[in-house]
Amino acid sequence: MTTDSTNVERHPKKGWVVYNGFLQWGKNREPADQLCEAAKRLGEDLTAMANCDIRCTMDGNGVSIDGDRPDYVIFWDKDIRLARSLEAAGIPVFNSSEAIEACDDKSLTGIILAQHGIRTPRTIIAPKTYASCGFCRKEFIHDAVERLGLPVVVKECRGSFGFQVHLFETVEEIQSFTDRIGDTPFLLQEFIKSSSGRDIRINMVGEVAVASMFRHSANGDFRANITNGGLMEYHQPNDSEVDIAIKCMRALGLDFAGIDILFGEDGPVVCEVNSNAHMKNILMCTGINVADHIIRYVVSVIDNE
C-alpha cells in the first residue's frame, strides 16, 4: 500500500529569529516580532532570540549550541561572529554571515557591486588609519575631491537610517569631519544631484520584488530616509529597477534585502543594500507584509533541502 505524499502531514521545523539584545530601543526588536507574528499566521514555529542569550562553544570537536538547537535561523542582526558560529554548527542561516558582512560595510558592498558591473555612485574608499594617528594625511581628501567634485557625500562605512551619511560643500568641512571620527572607516562618494532628497526602496525576497516605495525629503535634506523626516508613497518599480535589484541580490548572495536606488540621469543607480531592512514603514506605505514573504521563502528553502 502506497501513501499519497500530498496527504502526508507536514510538521513545522523549529526556527529562531536572532536580534541584538543590547540595543534597548523599540525599532531594534520590531522586525523580530513581525517575523514571529508572520510565522504564527502561517503555522510555523519561530522564536525570537537575543544574540546575548545564545551560547556557542568551540573546541576540538567543532562548534556546538547549548540547549535545543533550531533547524534554521533568520539572522536579524550584524553580529557576524555569532552568525558564522551558527553556520559552523551546521545550522542554515538567512541571510548568511558573508552576505550580512558585505552589506554591513558600505565599502565592501561597493567593491562587490563594482566587480559585478552594477552601477553605483563613483566612490573612493578612505585608507585605513589608527586611533593614535587619526586621519592626518589631508592630501588624500584634496585628491578625492578633485576626482569626485563638490558637494561630495561622505559616509561612515557602517551605520543605519542615514545617520552616518553627510553632504559636504567644502574640503574644510570634510577635514573637520575626519578630525572628529578618529579611525572610523569612511568613504567619499559622488553626489547624484538628480536624485537629491529622492530614492526608491525595493524590498526583495529571493529574486522577487515584493514591495517598493518612493521616498522623498520633506525638509530639504539630501537624504530620503523616513527616519530623517522623509515621506513615502507606493511605487511600482520598472523593469530596469527590478533588474538592478536582482543583480544586487545575486552579487551579494542575499536571501532578502532592501535595495535603495537613486534616480541617475542615465537610469537607476544603487545607493545602498540593507541585509536587514526594517519592514514597518513599507507595510504602512504599501499594505504588503514583507515578513510573510520572508517566512514563506525560508520555509520553502528548508523544506526542499
Side-chain angles (χ1 to χ4, degrees):
M1 179 177 177
T2 59
T3 301
D4 184 352
S5 60
T6 60
N7 294 324
V8 174
E9 182 180 357
R10 176 186 173 275
H11 296 285
K13 293 183 170 64
K14 177 182 178 181
W16 288 351
V17 52
V18 175
Y19 66 97
N20 194 286
F22 295 94
L23 294 172
Q24 299 299 312
W25 57 313
K27 269 195 172 185
N28 173 56
R29 177 64 189 260
E30 278 179 358
D33 290 339
Q34 283 180 274
L35 287 162
C36 287
E37 290 164 5
K40 185 176 180 180
R41 281 194 300 273
L42 298 169
E44 300 298 330
D45 181 4
L46 187 67
T47 302
M49 291 287 290
N51 65 328
C52 51
D53 292 333
I54 300 170
R55 304 288 182 267
C56 297
T57 303
M58 288 147 272
D59 56 27
N61 296 313
V63 180
S64 60
I65 310 298
D66 290 1
D68 294 333
R69 55 182 281 145
D71 296 303
Y72 67 90
V73 168
I74 299 174
F75 207 86
W76 216 271
D77 192 21
K78 297 179 180 180
D79 190 338
I80 304 300
R81 285 176 284 271
L82 174 58
R84 195 151 294 170
S85 297
L86 295 170
E87 290 168 342
I91 300 170
V93 176
F94 305 84
N95 285 300
S96 71
S97 61
E98 186 176 357
I100 296 169
E101 186 172 31
C103 293
D104 186 36
D105 185 330
K106 294 177 177 62
S107 61
L108 292 180
T109 307
I111 292 167
I112 294 169
L113 296 185
Q115 287 178 308
H116 286 79
I118 297 170
R119 190 178 176 205
T120 64
R122 287 185 301 135
T123 301
I124 296 174
I125 300 169
K128 179 178 175 60
T129 185
Y130 295 91
S132 58
C133 310
F135 203 84
C136 54
R137 298 297 297 269
K138 304 299 184 185
E139 63 271 21
F140 178 86
I141 302 299
H142 286 273
D143 291 344
V145 166
E146 281 186 15
R147 288 167 171 76
L148 299 176
L150 287 170
V152 66
V153 176
V154 178
K155 299 179 178 180
E156 296 177 32
C157 288
R158 289 185 170 85
S160 302
F161 306 110
F163 293 150
Q164 292 79 20
V165 179
H166 313 273
L167 183 66
F168 293 127
E169 302 282 348
T170 67
V171 169
E172 291 73 24
E173 287 178 327
I174 303 170
Q175 291 176 340
S176 176
F177 168 77
T178 60
D179 288 342
R180 294 195 305 273
I181 64 172
D183 63 343
T184 301
F186 71 97
L187 56 83
L188 299 95
Q189 201 166 71
E190 168 193 17
F191 176 50
I192 307 297
K193 187 176 180 180
S194 56
S195 196
S196 181
R198 305 184 305 138
D199 73 7
I200 297 164
R201 160 66 61 85
I202 301 180
N203 278 77
M204 300 289 296
V205 179
E207 295 189 1
V208 178
V210 299
S212 180
M213 62 181 172
F214 168 60
R215 305 185 300 188
H216 54 99
S217 173
N219 55 15
D221 197 312
F222 78 101
R223 299 164 297 183
N225 304 72
I226 305 304
T227 305
N228 294 319
L231 302 176
M232 56 188 177
E233 58 187 78
Y234 175 82
H235 175 74
Q236 180 62 49
N238 60 37
D239 290 345
S240 60
E241 291 162 354
V242 173
D243 180 63
I244 201 169
I246 291 173
K247 288 177 179 176
C248 288
M249 298 294 287
R250 292 174 179 172
L252 293 161
L254 290 156
D255 296 297
F256 47 81
I259 316 288
D260 295 344
I261 298 175
L262 302 175
F263 297 93
E265 292 184 358
D266 300 315
V269 177
V270 176
C271 177
E272 292 183 6
V273 180
N274 306 274
S275 62
N276 301 119
H278 279 243
M279 301 173 286
K280 182 178 179 180
N281 285 333
I282 203 153
L283 172 60
M284 293 170 58
C285 177
T286 67
I288 297 169
N289 196 324
V290 176
D292 288 347
H293 290 270
I294 292 175
I295 296 298
R296 290 192 188 100
Y297 169 86
V298 170
V299 168
S300 71
V301 172
I302 294 298
D303 282 351
N304 288 310
E305 284 188 343

